[in-house]
Amino acid sequence: MESFSGSLRHVLVRCCSVSMLRSRLPVLTWLPAYSLTWMKMDILAGLTVGMTTVPQALAYAEVAGLPVQYGLYSSFMGGFVYCVFGTSKDITLGPTAIMSLLCLSYIRGDPVYAVVLTLLCGIIQLTMALLRLGFLLDFISYPVIKGFTCAAAVTIGFGQVKNILGVKDVPQQFFLQVYYTFHKLPEARVGDVILGLFCLFYLVMMMMMKSSLDSVEDNPSPVVKVSRRFLWTLATIRNALVVIAATCVAYSFEVSGHDVFTLTGKTAAGLPPFSAPPLSETTANGTRISFSKIATDLGGGLAVIPLMGVLESIAIAKAFGSKNNYRINANQELFAIGLTNILGSFVSAYPVTGSFGRTAVNSQTGVCTPAGGIVTGVIVLLSLAFLMPLFSFVPKASLAAVIICAVGPMLDFSVPPRLWRVRKLDLLPFSVTFLFSFWEVQYGIVGGVVVSGFMLLYQMSRPELKVTDHGVLLMELGSGLQFPAVEHFSGVLHTHALHVSPPRCVLLDCQHVSGIDYTVVNELRDLLKQFKLHDVSLVFSGLKISVLEVLLAADLPGFRHTDSLEAGLQILMTDTPLLQSAARPETH
């Protein structure tokens, strides 16, 4: 009993230690050193990101097929939760173009489905964090990620052309969308086209101006420095400026009785109620949809969306951590995202992840701690509380321009040439992901992962085997030896050593073999038996301690090993009299 209580006390002390609390609550690592300088920079960054978040949230809700207020519902919880549990000072959580596109495939414009998806997504991510399953993300390769993001950029961007044109009743499926968009060109509304193109032109000019500011001299005069800062601010909040200007224009036309633009329409006013997420739904005709039916309908989305959300967020956090010289904890990031989605479901949010664009703005503005997210969250809440009636006058063409410019940089034309130059075979998962994503986004991701998996399995089943003749055969294993490679490995040994006349002795260089399994051990037992029947030797060299322990425990008959290749060659030359006589003249 005393032993048990002592163990329990040890576990409690360990769990409540300062280092453990800091790893679980990263806010404790920076809060004690928080200063007025940090506060000033965090407030500035939070305000700047907030001005970017509000118009993007409205636009991304449109991509997800939801009323625009749901974009704002999804934009504030992340700032509060991540401030306490996040390990990156730069990242901002909220709706993104990619996550919105993924959700569109599963929620079908139904807010209840969106909220249930958020809850289940958060539970899955939180469970993954507690079980430390973040390593699963390692199986999604770079070509798959780039293939998906490039296809998503095309899909999302072209999906907004209908709003630039002001046409309606265009299907969501990409190929049908392309056909009907061009088919309905004669129905385009002049007002929407002019406004949309003007917004696009302005946003592109602002983006180009912002990128050109980096090329100005390093030590500018105070006037130039202030001018650059002013222009940078204008370029940074360009989305907010263009939406505000477009809304003012649309409002002026509406009050004068001219229906010129396609507007967002009626939005729900005020803050979302904090309540338990709905686990069932009753349709307009009185049909009740149960929780199990909703979960079944969400289907593959319960795997794709949590994984892609975490992958996108952690990739962004790592990128900015490397840029700003700090490290993140991947499992803690997974915990923060999962908790954000769970709590977000209580305020009618749809699934969120890290935003690359808003994180870049946060970093460039000089944010010092995750507390900047609190300011951003407050900006979103104030918008919900006081500005929702005005959002009904936001033209869809202006939101479309914001989305197109946001996803434009995701279309990286340099990726295929780079893959071709470095490793041509990686073009296969990239191409499969890219092309299949136009059919269904989830099919593209799954297809790319499957192709990458087959490539990895093939590589495991065909390890590099270098065979050289030193009087005896020296076979060097260039990589690990696991059960998929057994048949290939055994076939090479039979071909080069046993199916020749006379049979040859073999020295296996195993210095690159870090682990083996029972299938390999069983095959080695048969090989040693075959070598003995052919009256030749098989000797192992350079075995790691862990591998040697497994082979010794297996008690293989005729198993011999040496520490070095020279010792192994000496043993085999001793076993083979013909080699001894051939070697004697060379020693003189």
Side-chain angles (χ1 to χ4, degrees), residues 164 192-204 242 245 401:
I164 295 285
D192 286 321
V193 173
I194 293 174
L195 181 64
L197 292 178
F198 181 81
C199 292
L200 275 175
F201 176 78
Y202 173 79
L203 290 171
V204 171
V242 81

Side-chain angles (χ1 to χ4, degrees), residues 258-472:
H258 296 88
D259 183 19
V260 178
F261 307 110
T262 303
L263 304 181
T264 300
K266 186 178 180 181
T267 57
L271 301 173
F274 188 88
S275 59
L279 300 182
S280 62
E281 180 183 18
T282 303
T283 61
N285 60 10
T287 304
R288 184 178 179 277
I289 304 177
S290 65
F291 173 76
S292 59
K293 178 67 168 64
I294 294 175
T296 303
D297 290 343
L298 292 174
L302 298 179
V304 172
I305 290 179
L307 285 175
M308 289 307 298
V310 172
L311 179 68
E312 186 177 0
S313 190
I314 290 180
I316 294 168
K318 284 184 176 179
F320 281 88
S322 175
K323 177 182 177 182
N324 296 322
N325 302 314
Y326 63 86
R327 291 182 62 81
I328 66 155
N329 183 324
N331 271 301
Q332 186 63 27
E333 291 293 300
L334 190 51
F335 181 88
I337 299 166
L339 187 59
T340 297
N341 278 320
I342 290 175
L343 294 178
S345 68
F346 284 78
V347 291
S348 304
Y350 71 91
V352 301
T353 183
S355 164
F356 187 88
R358 296 193 295 275
T359 300
V361 170
N362 208 26
S363 177
Q364 291 169 4
T365 313
V367 72
C368 295
T369 71
I374 295 177
V375 181
T376 299
V378 170
I379 295 294
V380 175
L381 288 172
L382 290 173
S383 300
L384 280 166
F386 301 109
L387 300 179
M388 286 308 293
L390 296 178
F391 290 152
S392 62
F393 294 99
V394 176
K396 287 191 174 184
S398 64
L399 295 181
V402 169
I403 294 170
I404 291 171
C405 289
V407 301
M410 291 164 49
L411 188 59
D412 192 348
F413 293 101
S414 66
V415 172
R418 196 159 63 240
L419 291 175
W420 178 265
R421 187 169 60 252
V422 176
R423 187 169 183 258
K424 296 177 178 60
L425 196 58
D426 281 337
L427 276 172
L428 184 58
F430 172 85
S431 302
V432 168
T433 306
F434 182 78
L435 295 174
F436 277 43
S437 292
F438 292 119
W439 178 20
E440 288 287 350
V441 173
Q442 61 271 29
Y443 295 160
I445 297 169
V446 172
V449 170
V450 168
V451 171
S452 295
F454 276 123
M455 290 168 57
L456 181 62
L457 288 174
Y458 182 82
Q459 192 174 1
M460 288 177 60
S461 67
R462 295 294 182 270
E464 182 183 355
L465 300 174
K466 183 180 179 182
V467 181
T468 54
D469 195 335
H470 294 261
V472 297

Side-chain angles (χ1 to χ4, degrees), residues 26-102:
V27 66
L28 298 178
T29 62
W30 55 263
L31 189 59
Y34 203 70
S35 64
L36 287 175
T37 302
W38 286 7
M39 180 184 292
K40 182 183 72 173
M41 297 306 297
D42 287 345
I43 291 174
L44 177 63
L47 288 171
T48 306
V49 174
M51 293 291 285
T52 306
T53 299
V54 172
Q56 282 194 342
L58 300 174
Y60 292 150
E62 183 81 18
V63 174
L66 295 169
V68 293
Q69 66 266 23
Y70 281 86
L72 295 175
Y73 294 166
S74 309
S75 300
F76 63 85
M77 187 61 74
F80 299 110
V81 174
Y82 195 84
C83 178
V84 178
F85 297 100
T87 59
S88 167
K89 74 178 182 66
D90 298 300
I91 201 165
T92 62
L93 299 182
T96 66
I98 290 178
M99 190 57 63
S100 300
L101 177 66
L102 285 170

Side-chain angles (χ1 to χ4, degrees), residues 471-520:
V472 297
L473 293 181
L474 172 62
M475 180 181 290
E476 180 182 354
L477 291 163
S479 59
L481 186 60
Q482 299 294 336
F483 69 89
V486 162
E487 288 301 319
H488 175 65
F489 167 71
S490 180
V492 171
L493 273 178
H494 278 84
T495 301
H496 287 84
L498 302 180
H499 293 170
V500 295
S501 185
R504 309 289 302 279
C505 292
V506 175
L507 175 62
L508 278 178
D509 182 2
C510 302
Q511 61 179 321
H512 298 301
V513 178
S514 57
I516 57 175
D517 52 48
Y518 184 79
T519 305
V520 175

